[in-house]
Amino acid sequence: MAKSVPVHCPTCHREHSFTPPTFPCACGAPLTVPVLPEAEAELLAHRTWRDSWVAVRCPSCDRQGQWPRPEFGCSCGTVVRLPVEPVREPEQEPADEPAPRRRAASRAAFRPVAIRTERDAVMAAERYVRWLGFTDVRRPGTCPAPAATGVDLRATGLVARVDPTTLPTTLRDIECLWLHGLLDSADAACFSLAGYAPDARCRADDLRLPLFVMDLTGTPRALNEWADALAGRARG
């Protein structure tokens, strides 16, 4: 159970007790946002989406993710934002002790599916996700067409959206997909034919959400470092 921390209201000067929120990490372990007990709370006058999230590293799996920044509402009407312990950097191996090379896994070349319809796009992404090693891929519901809920493919530890439209994938699409992953305690990945809006791509990088683009041959290509990391981890 998370330990309560004292909160001082800068308006009415009352002292309160606040219990930091706990969320489920993708590894299954509970993750409590590390609120600094001795730091002064910040008066919240204006809320933005970017400032509403904070980077926290899971103490169990060492995975860094974005989580809701803790806030406290005083009975006088004042809302304060609570400071959070900065993310520690992972320990680096000594320079004179290079990490052993990983033997390249034996893997057949990916065989794409040509995309002519929306269903083909989902099928191509599904085949690629299976090729990465997610063998229990399934589609929500019974309809093989892209889902209206924002999630087209599910597997253990992964949810994915496939955008087959001719317009760039939007910021809202990325944020909704990330929330689906948060609710499922899973990673989220997006596949798009037309690419991504600039703000959507920036937000995906902030959220460490893998982005892939597909051409009409049905071959996904990693668009950001998180997509590269997902592909590399799955192959390992």
Side-chain angles (χ1 to χ4, degrees), residues 97-164:
E97 297 182 9
R101 293 183 179 179
R102 177 182 295 178
R103 182 179 299 175
S106 176
R107 177 181 292 274
F110 173 66
R111 299 178 61 184
V113 177
I115 298 176
R116 300 181 181 87
T117 66
E118 291 184 352
R119 295 183 180 184
D120 291 339
V122 176
M123 184 180 299
E126 179 180 354
R127 177 172 292 191
Y128 185 76
V129 170
R130 290 184 185 277
W131 181 76
L132 289 178
F134 297 91
T135 57
D136 61 338
V137 185
R138 56 197 181 279
R139 303 179 190 179
T142 57
C143 176
T149 60
V151 174
D152 303 286
L153 301 172
R154 292 183 185 274
T156 300
L158 182 73
V159 296
R161 175 180 175 82
V162 183
D163 187 352

Side-chain angles (χ1 to χ4, degrees), residues 18-229:
F18 175 79
T19 301
T22 299
F23 303 98
C25 178
C27 70
L31 182 150
T32 300
V33 178
V35 175
L36 292 172
E38 302 300 331
E40 184 177 354
E42 174 190 355
L43 182 64
L44 182 59
H46 178 67
R47 181 182 286 107
T48 64
W49 176 269
R50 181 181 295 272
D51 291 339
S52 296
W53 304 90
V54 64
V56 177
R57 191 178 300 278
C58 177
S60 297
C61 68
D62 209 38
R63 176 183 305 179
Q64 180 177 318
Q66 295 286 330
W67 302 95
R69 185 182 296 272
E71 299 176 357
F72 177 80
C74 180
S75 57
C76 72
T78 299
V79 178
V80 295
R81 179 178 290 139
L82 304 179
V84 175
E85 182 179 342
V87 173
R88 61 175 178 80
E89 294 299 325
E91 296 182 1
Q92 301 293 330
E93 295 184 358
D96 56 345
E97 297 182 9
R101 293 183 179 179
R102 177 182 295 178
R103 182 179 299 175
S106 176
R107 177 181 292 274
F110 173 66
R111 299 178 61 184
V113 177
I115 298 176
R116 300 181 181 87
T117 66
E118 291 184 352
R119 295 183 180 184
D120 291 339
V122 176
M123 184 180 299
E126 179 180 354
R127 177 172 292 191
Y128 185 76
V129 170
R130 290 184 185 277
W131 181 76
L132 289 178
F134 297 91
T135 57
D136 61 338
V137 185
R138 56 197 181 279
R139 303 179 190 179
T142 57
C143 176
T149 60
V151 174
D152 303 286
L153 301 172
R154 292 183 185 274
T156 300
L158 182 73
V159 296
R161 175 180 175 82
V162 183
D163 187 352
T165 65
T166 57
L167 297 176
T169 302
T170 66
L171 171 64
R172 182 179 182 278
D173 293 331
I174 293 300
E175 291 174 344
C176 287
L177 174 61
W178 178 80
L179 288 174
H180 277 289
L182 182 63
L183 291 173
D184 287 7
S185 298
D187 290 327
C190 191
F191 296 82
S192 176
L193 278 179
Y196 302 85
D199 55 354
R201 183 166 179 176
C202 290
R203 187 63 185 140
D205 287 340
D206 290 341
L207 297 174
R208 299 180 170 230
L209 192 149
L211 299 181
F212 295 89
V213 289
M214 297 190 296
D215 55 29
L216 293 181
T217 68
T219 304
R221 175 174 60 86
L223 190 61
N224 60 5
E225 61 178 301
W226 314 117
D228 285 329

